Amino acid sequence: MKKYVLPSMLIGSMVVLSACKPVDWAEKKWNAAFNEESSEENEKQISNEQTTQKPNDENKNENSDEQPSAETDLPWLEETVTASGDGKAVVQNLDDLLIVANKERNLPGNYEPKDLVTPNVPFPFKEDLPKKKLRKEAALSLEVLFKAAEEEGLELLAQSGYRSYDTQVSIFAFNAEQKGEEVANKTSSRPGQSEHQTGLSMDVTSQEVNFELVEAFGETKEGKWLAENAHKYGFIIRYLKGKEEITGYQYEPWHLRYVGVDHAKKIHEQGITLEEYLQKP
C-alpha cells in the first residue's frame, strides 16, 4: 500500500495546480480589463478638464491683448511741463531718464542731478572738471560703450558732459558775442534749455578731427560706428540730420544722449527724435 502513496500525492498536486491556472488567468484578464477601463476613465477626465479650461485660456489671452502697452506710460511732452509766471514751459520730470529740455522746455536754474559721477573713459584733457560728469546710470553705460568701441579698434574720447545753468549762461553769452545771437541759438543752448544740464548727455570726439566737435566727426569711423551702435548701450544721436526743425539744433553726430536701452532701440529703429518719440498720439 505504501508504494502507491507518493504517486497519488503527486497526481493530486498536479490536479490542484492545473485547477488554479484558469483562476490566475481569469484574474489577470479581469485586472487588465479593469485597468483599461480605469485608463479610459482617466483619459476622459483629463479631456473634460482640458475642455473646461479652454474657455478660461481663451479669456486669458483676450484679457492679455487688452492690457495697455508700455508706451502708455511714457512721459508725454505736454504732460511734463507747467507754465511759469513769465509764460515759459518749465520741465517737471527732472529725474526721469526721458526728460526733454529744448528751446520750448526749460529746466529750473537751480536744478542739478544728485547722482553725478565721472565715468572711467578717456578725455582729451586731464583737469577734473564738472563737464566730465554724467548721471550714474549714463556714466556706467558710457563705459561699456567705450569698451565696445575699443574692442573694434576705435578711439573715442569724451569731451563734454554735465554743465550747470550758470556755466551755460557763460557759454551762450560767449557764442552770441562771437557769432551773433541768432547764429549762436542754432549751435548753442540758452541757459535752462541745454540737455547737458540734465547730466544725460556727453559730447564725444576723436583724434581724427583733432578732438573737435564738428560735423565731420560723423564721417569718421568712430562717428559711423556710433550712429550704428550707440543704441545698443542706451544712447541715441540726439540731433539728427534733417530733423533740425523738430529739435531746433543743427546736426550733431558727436552729441550722445542716454535714454536707456529699450527706448534707444525703438528710437533708433524708427529713425526719429526724442521729441517725436514722446509726442502723444
Side-chain angles (χ1 to χ4, degrees):
M1 187 70 179
K2 292 181 180 179
K3 66 174 65 174
Y4 297 107
V5 172
L6 184 58
S8 298
M9 292 176 64
L10 292 173
I11 293 171
S13 300
M14 291 177 64
V15 171
V16 171
L17 290 172
S18 64
C20 290
K21 285 183 179 180
V23 175
D24 293 341
W25 176 84
E27 185 177 359
K28 290 178 181 179
K29 284 293 185 180
W30 170 261
N31 290 337
F34 179 78
N35 291 336
E36 288 177 2
E37 184 176 341
S38 299
S39 178
E40 290 178 0
E41 289 297 325
N42 290 336
E43 290 177 0
K44 288 179 180 179
Q45 184 176 355
I46 293 171
S47 176
N48 290 334
E49 289 175 354
Q50 291 175 340
T51 303
T52 303
Q53 292 174 357
K54 187 174 181 180
N56 292 334
D57 292 339
E58 290 177 352
N59 291 336
K60 184 177 180 181
N61 291 334
E62 290 176 1
N63 292 335
S64 64
D65 291 340
E66 294 174 0
Q67 293 298 319
S69 65
E71 290 189 356
T72 59
D73 296 328
L74 290 176
W76 306 114
L77 295 178
E78 58 268 37
E79 297 176 359
T80 52
V81 292
T82 58
S84 63
D86 57 3
K88 289 184 178 180
V90 180
V91 178
Q92 298 300 305
N93 59 329
L94 298 176
D95 295 326
D96 199 320
L97 292 178
L98 291 178
I99 183 175
V100 176
N102 57 28
K103 296 182 185 300
E104 298 176 351
R105 299 169 58 88
N106 299 268
L107 299 171
N110 61 353
Y111 173 65
E112 178 180 331
K114 299 177 181 178
D115 57 346
L116 292 171
V117 297
T118 301
N120 184 21
V121 298
F123 291 84
F125 54 89
K126 296 181 179 180
E127 296 84 358
D128 187 18
L129 301 175
K131 68 177 184 176
K132 278 188 171 183
K133 298 182 182 297
L134 284 176
R135 286 185 58 183
K136 187 174 182 178
E137 184 175 332
L140 294 175
S141 296
L142 189 71
E143 292 176 0
V144 178
L145 182 150
F146 268 58
K147 182 65 176 177
E150 182 182 357
E151 291 174 353
E152 292 292 327
L154 305 174
E155 184 182 3
L156 286 172
L157 294 99
Q159 180 68 278
S160 184
Y162 169 72
R163 295 180 205 152
S164 69
Y165 183 95
D166 291 339
T167 298
Q168 196 65 35
V169 169
S170 301
I171 291 175
F172 186 81
F174 175 80
N175 288 330
E177 183 180 349
Q178 296 294 315
K179 309 172 185 177
E181 188 169 333
E182 184 177 349
V183 175
N185 198 37
K186 295 179 181 179
T187 59
S188 179
S189 300
R190 294 181 184 276
Q193 299 178 355
S194 173
E195 271 208 336
H196 287 279
Q197 190 182 344
T198 68
L200 295 170
S201 293
M202 178 65 76
D203 293 334
V204 297
T205 185
S206 68
Q207 188 173 2
E208 192 171 339
V209 290
N210 197 30
F211 310 122
E212 295 179 358
L213 302 178
V214 291
E215 190 171 319
F217 174 73
E219 299 303 316
T220 67
K221 55 184 183 295
E222 285 84 5
K224 292 178 179 178
W225 183 86
L226 281 176
E228 296 175 0
N229 297 280
H231 67 281
K232 299 175 183 177
Y233 308 95
F235 291 89
I236 59 172
I237 306 299
R238 179 66 174 91
Y239 303 120
L240 297 172
K241 183 178 290 187
K243 299 286 188 176
E244 292 83 358
E245 291 186 4
I246 297 173
T247 64
Y249 295 98
Q250 67 177 30
Y251 169 52
E252 295 186 1
W254 63 83
H255 186 108
L256 294 180
R257 162 62 195 268
Y258 185 76
V259 295
V261 174
D262 290 340
H263 297 298
K265 181 180 178 182
K266 293 175 183 177
I267 292 170
H268 173 78
E269 289 177 347
Q270 297 177 58
I272 59 177
T273 64
L274 187 56
E275 283 86 357
E276 291 172 296
Y277 184 63
L278 295 177
Q279 188 66 53
K280 193 171 185 177

